[in-house]
Amino acid sequence: EMDIATKIRRFGKTRRVVSYHNLKTTPVDVQDIAEKCEEADPDIVKVATAASTLAVTIVRIIQPSLESG
């Protein structure tokens, strides 16, 4: 989880997965959450959220990338 990832040291060749889970909704700031996970030196970032519809979730995830060009 992203809230404790920086407190856990790396061990050998083990890969670090930094994750965020919100199983109630997909936050509007999902891109910011993913970027915050990136700050914890991950090998993999995992964001798991509940989706009311697939289309809404996809738009929330890719829209920031489209707007930044």
Side-chain angles (χ1 to χ4, degrees), residues 2 5-6 10 16 18 35-43:
M2 64 186 256
T6 59
R10 288 190 172 264
R16 181 193 309 258
V18 177
E35 290 172 6
K36 191 166 187 167
C37 288
E38 276 288 331
E39 294 172 5
D41 188 32
D43 295 300

Side-chain angles (χ1 to χ4, degrees), residues 19-62:
S19 63
Y20 168 85
H21 298 85
N22 182 334
L23 303 180
K24 294 181 181 179
T25 187
T26 298
V28 175
D29 62 341
V30 70
Q31 183 68 30
D32 293 335
I33 292 167
E35 290 172 6
K36 191 166 187 167
C37 288
E38 276 288 331
E39 294 172 5
D41 188 32
D43 295 300
I44 299 167
V45 170
K46 174 186 161 191
V47 177
T49 67
S52 56
T53 67
L54 184 58
V56 170
T57 303
I58 290 172
V59 168
R60 285 188 183 167
I61 292 170
I62 66 169

